[in-house]
Amino acid sequence: MGLRAACIDQRGTFGGTCLNVGCIPSKALLHTSELFEEASSDFAKLGIKAAVSLDLPAMMAHKNKVVGELTRGVEFLLKKNKAEAIVGAALIAAPGRIEVKAKDGASRTIETKHIVIATGSDVAPLAGIKIDETQVVSSTGALALKSVPKRLLVVGGGYIGLELGSVWRRLGSEVTVVEFLDRITPGLDGEIGKQFQRILTRQGMKFQLSTKVVGVEKKGEALLVTVEPAAGGEKTTLETDIVLVSIGRRPFVDQLGIEKLGVARDKQGRIVTDAHFATNIAGIWAVGDCREGPMLAHKAEDEAVACAERIAGRAGHVNYDAIPAVVYTAPEVASVGKTEEELKAAGIAYKIGKFPFTANARAKTIAATEGFAKILADAKTDRVLGVHILGAEAGNMIAEAALAIEFGAASEDIARTSHAHPTLSEAVRQAAMGVEGWTMQM
Ligand SMILES: Cc1cc2nc3c(=O)[nH]c(=O)nc-3n(C[C@H](O)[C@H](O)[C@H](O)COP(=O)(O)OP(=O)(O)OC[C@H]3O[C@@H](n4cnc5c(N)ncnc54)[C@H](O)[C@@H]3O)c2cc1C
């Protein structure tokens, strides 16, 4: 857009949490561990005989290679777009002035018209429990365990805990998830969440809901985890080898010096901005995990684009109703728009269309018939308000639903759009037909 830009990151490699210790390494391990489990237990049913064994260092090497290629790719893209890539810790000394400190102590001052804070988020700590990244780990440590733990206790049944719990369960760990609430993945549509938990339980994951972890102590080589009912009550202990703390993430902004400048923050410590990402201090903007909204890479990306457009004097906005969210387990869970619970709470009358993958031809051919697609449409206008998919490839299929919501489509628009046969996406079409009661494949 014709502006001169620089990007400062203290990590040493670019791409933030997502590329270095988030989306990308976790998806690499989810893919390889899924193949390992399939080859170990499912191939035989499909007529393939294989003697399978795990080479964990090679699996980790694949993950590290992908991370290296993508982070170098981002650095290349910065260069290609003539944005200066600076490695160092940034401190906002004043509006328009940044002090950057390199690891070797060298410092540099940068004068600029605009500052965009995109410092992301960090692991939320659990009171009284110290993360050492070897035996009591955050997601970062769980992405780099040196061996498969016999037992893994996951604190927090959100998407990060369930994804990483799935990785290690597939590789041989006994996984127990302890969750404070009475359900896992609280943001998901309730019906989807329940079915999802049933499937994970069938896969061998254990759940202890409405329970809080209050302490972890060493017992020889193992760990003793003290838990108590969320509502209070008698304490009990669980023995495990590794504890993964994944109770959420919190904004990572304390080191920026913005307190002194008076940049406003909310109760959760997130930077407050207006709808166009401007903070209360002229020339300082904020996007991504450090401000409100879902902590997702594509939400951060979309905000960054819109913010840059605003800075360049153009129009730019983000449609928060059309931001998809995906849990990359097997099966996957993907959703966009409103859940049934949200529509009920808002008093919006809606219709539902549903279609199970057991009745989808492609799902049968690939032996992946778990789950269903669900469409929520406005009872009066038929406008699509929410789409929720539990099933193989749900993460890819949700793009169609996001586009439908972005375009203000009616469920009938999806129902009358030709979908290739045989594909899993036909289930989405059949669910859309179901909104008006004319599902055909069931
Ligand atoms: C295990 C895991 C899996 C995830 N999987 C997914 C997924 O599948 N899909 C998805 O959409 N999201 C996923 N996420 C979330 C996603 O990673 C974040 O939403 C996204 O990275 C947020 O981007 P951001 O630009 O706001 O911040 P970040 O990616 O956190 O980047 C912030 C950067 O700022 C740097 N920084 C901070 N302070 C300073 C300073 N003072 N000076 C210089 N540099 C600084 C940090 O080093 C960091 O590199 C996952 C996260 C985790 C932890």
Side-chain angles (χ1 to χ4, degrees):
M1 287 183 272
L3 303 175
R4 264 183 75 207
C7 178
I8 308 162
D9 201 302
Q10 62 195 12
R11 192 183 297 271
T13 51
F14 287 84
T17 302
C18 174
L19 265 56
N20 288 282
V21 290
C23 328
I24 297 306
S26 60
K27 266 79 255 179
L29 289 182
L30 278 156
H31 177 68
T32 48
S33 63
E34 188 178 342
L35 290 182
F36 174 73
E37 184 171 48
E38 267 182 36
S40 310
S41 14
D42 301 332
F43 273 17
K45 289 178 234 156
L46 306 176
I48 305 163
K49 285 189 183 166
V52 180
S53 60
L54 177 66
D55 182 349
L56 188 61
M59 198 178 264
M60 290 292 174
H62 163 72
K63 175 206 71 175
N64 295 338
K65 180 168 164 278
V66 172
V67 168
E69 284 171 4
L70 288 173
T71 53
R72 283 193 300 277
V74 168
E75 199 168 346
F76 164 78
L77 288 174
L78 284 170
K79 212 183 249 170
K80 186 179 156 211
N81 288 285
K82 299 189 178 57
E84 192 184 351
I86 302 169
V87 176
L91 183 118
I92 307 177
R97 203 170 79 238
I98 292 195
E99 310 282 353
V100 186
K101 211 169 221 138
K103 277 219 172 87
D104 63 7
S107 57
R108 168 179 172 190
T109 302
I110 298 172
E111 304 278 344
T112 177
K113 241 188 184 157
H114 299 276
I115 296 169
V116 180
I117 302 173
T119 48
S121 60
D122 198 6
V123 175
L126 187 56
I129 289 152
K130 197 175 165 324
I131 293 175
D132 60 19
E133 294 298 13
T134 48
Q135 214 174 356
V136 181
V137 297
S138 71
S139 54
T140 303
L143 288 165
L145 296 180
K146 297 273 180 300
S147 60
V148 179
K150 187 169 171 315
R151 296 161 300 184
L152 170 69
L153 187 135
V154 178
V155 192
Y159 81 90
I160 292 178
L162 297 177
E163 287 184 358
L164 291 173
S166 290
V167 165
W168 292 106
R169 185 200 56 72
R170 292 165 185 167
L171 300 182
S173 301
E174 290 162 24
V175 176
T176 303
V177 178
V178 178
E179 166 60 50
F180 182 82
L181 299 176
D182 60 357
R183 54 167 296 184
I184 58 167
T185 49
L188 286 183
D189 183 86
E191 186 184 14
I192 293 266
K194 255 190 216 137
Q195 182 68 14
F196 182 39
Q197 191 188 333
R198 259 183 235 133
I199 293 173
L200 292 176
T201 304
R202 239 185 351 253
Q203 292 174 354
M205 213 179 252
K206 292 201 180 83
F207 291 95
Q208 217 163 305
L209 304 182
S210 305
T211 305
K212 67 178 171 192
V213 169
V214 292
V216 177
E217 61 187 69
K218 276 230 171 220
K219 184 193 167 202
E221 294 290 287
L223 294 171
L224 266 192
V225 180
T226 308
V227 297
E228 66 178 39
E234 205 178 313
K235 290 185 173 58
T236 48
T237 53
L238 301 167
E239 200 173 312
T240 189
D241 301 300
I242 300 278
V243 169
L244 162 58
V245 178
S246 53
I247 57 165
R249 297 180 62 80
R250 60 176 185 185
F252 184 49
V253 289
D254 293 338
Q255 68 296 353
L256 276 172
I258 54 173
E259 238 71 326
K260 265 201 208 143
L261 305 178
V263 174
R265 295 174 59 187
D266 65 15
K267 275 196 193 121
Q268 283 119 297
R270 301 174 298 192
I271 295 175
V272 176
T273 73
D274 66 11
H276 302 133
F277 314 106
T279 69
N280 58 322
I281 305 293
I284 302 186
W285 310 70
V287 297
D289 278 11
C290 68
R291 70 178 292 279
E292 69 173 322
M295 288 187 171
L296 293 170
H298 44 284
K299 175 264 194 186
E301 176 183 5
D302 291 349
E303 288 186 345
V305 170
C307 180
E309 287 174 324
R310 288 276 160 183
I311 289 172
R314 301 186 189 183
H317 87 287
V318 175
N319 177 4
Y320 291 96
D321 284 333
I323 294 184
V326 181
V327 189
Y328 294 85
T329 43
E332 292 181 346
V333 189
S335 59
V336 61
K338 302 281 185 250
T339 62
E340 268 200 71
E341 290 73 20
E342 285 170 335
L343 292 176
K344 275 185 195 141
I348 298 170
Y350 59 93
K351 294 175 293 182
I352 307 178
K354 272 194 269 187
F355 191 79
F357 284 102
T358 43
N360 174 272
R362 185 62 182 277
K364 279 201 183 295
T365 64
I366 63 169
T369 52
E370 282 179 315
F372 59 99
K374 171 172 175 177
I375 297 198
L376 305 171
D378 189 288
K380 247 197 244 141
T381 64
D382 193 32
R383 191 180 177 133
V384 178
L385 300 175
V387 178
H388 308 275
I389 309 171
L390 170 66
E393 297 292 334
N396 283 325
M397 287 189 279
I398 204 68
E400 166 183 18
L403 189 68
I405 290 181
E406 184 69 42
F407 279 20
S411 79
E412 189 179 350
D413 291 320
I414 300 178
R416 294 196 182 275
T417 300
S418 185
H419 286 63
H421 175 76
T423 57
L424 296 169
S425 68
E426 282 178 281
V428 177
R429 182 187 192 185
Q430 294 294 320
M433 288 173 167
V435 172
E436 291 294 342
W438 60 291
T439 298
M440 298 197 304
Q441 294 180 354
M442 206 177 62

